[in-house]
Coordinates of all heavy atoms in Angstrom, one line a residue:
L50 N 73.4 17.1 4.6 CA 74.7 17.0 5.1 C 74.9 18.0 6.3 O 74.3 19.0 6.4 CB 75.7 17.4 4.0 CG 76.1 16.4 2.9 CD1 77.1 17.0 2.0 CD2 76.7 15.2 3.6
M131 N 62.0 20.0 9.2 CA 63.4 19.5 9.1 C 64.1 19.9 7.8 O 65.3 19.6 7.7 CB 63.4 17.9 9.2 CG 62.5 17.4 10.3 SD 63.0 17.9 12.0 CE 61.6 17.3 13.0
L198 N 60.5 31.9 0.4 CA 60.1 30.5 0.8 C 59.1 30.0 -0.2 O 58.0 30.5 -0.3 CB 59.6 30.5 2.2 CG 59.2 29.1 2.8 CD1 60.4 28.2 2.8 CD2 58.6 29.3 4.2
P232 N 60.0 27.8 26.6 CA 60.8 27.3 27.7 C 61.4 28.5 28.5 O 61.6 29.6 28.0 CB 62.0 26.6 27.0 CG 62.1 27.2 25.6 CD 60.7 27.6 25.3
D305 N 81.6 37.8 8.8 CA 80.5 37.5 9.7 C 80.9 36.6 10.9 O 80.4 36.7 12.0 CB 79.4 36.8 8.9 CG 78.4 37.8 8.2 OD1 78.3 38.9 8.8 OD2 77.9 37.5 7.1
K322 N 73.3 40.2 35.5 CA 72.0 40.7 36.0 C 71.0 39.6 36.0 O 71.1 38.7 35.1 CB 71.6 42.0 35.2 CG 71.4 41.7 33.8 CD 71.0 43.0 33.0 CE 69.6 43.4 33.3 NZ 69.1 44.5 32.4
P323 N 70.0 39.6 36.8 CA 69.0 38.6 36.8 C 68.3 38.5 35.4 O 68.2 39.5 34.7 CB 68.0 39.0 37.9 CG 68.8 39.9 38.8 CD 69.8 40.6 37.9
K337 N 62.0 36.3 17.4 CA 61.1 35.9 16.3 C 60.6 37.1 15.5 O 60.4 37.0 14.3 CB 60.0 35.1 16.9 CG 60.4 33.7 17.5 CD 59.3 33.0 18.1 CE 59.8 31.7 18.8 NZ 58.8 30.9 19.5
L348 N 60.3 46.2 18.6 CA 60.6 45.1 19.6 C 60.0 45.6 20.9 O 59.3 46.6 21.0 CB 62.1 44.9 19.7 CG 62.8 44.4 18.4 CD1 64.2 44.1 18.6 CD2 62.1 43.2 17.8
E367 N 81.8 51.5 20.9 CA 82.3 52.2 22.0 C 83.1 51.2 23.0 O 84.1 51.6 23.5 CB 81.1 52.8 22.8 CG 80.5 53.9 22.0 CD 79.1 54.2 22.4 OE1 78.6 53.5 23.3 OE2 78.5 55.2 21.9
A397 N 67.4 57.7 21.2 CA 67.6 57.6 22.6 C 66.6 56.7 23.2 O 65.4 56.6 22.8 CB 67.5 59.0 23.3
G445 N 68.8 49.2 1.5 CA 68.8 48.0 0.6 C 70.0 47.1 0.8 O 70.3 46.2 0.0

Side-chain angles (χ1 to χ4, degrees):
L50 279 181
M131 313 299 169
L198 182 57
D305 278 328
K322 57 181 289 190
K337 294 175 184 177
L348 300 184
E367 293 161 354

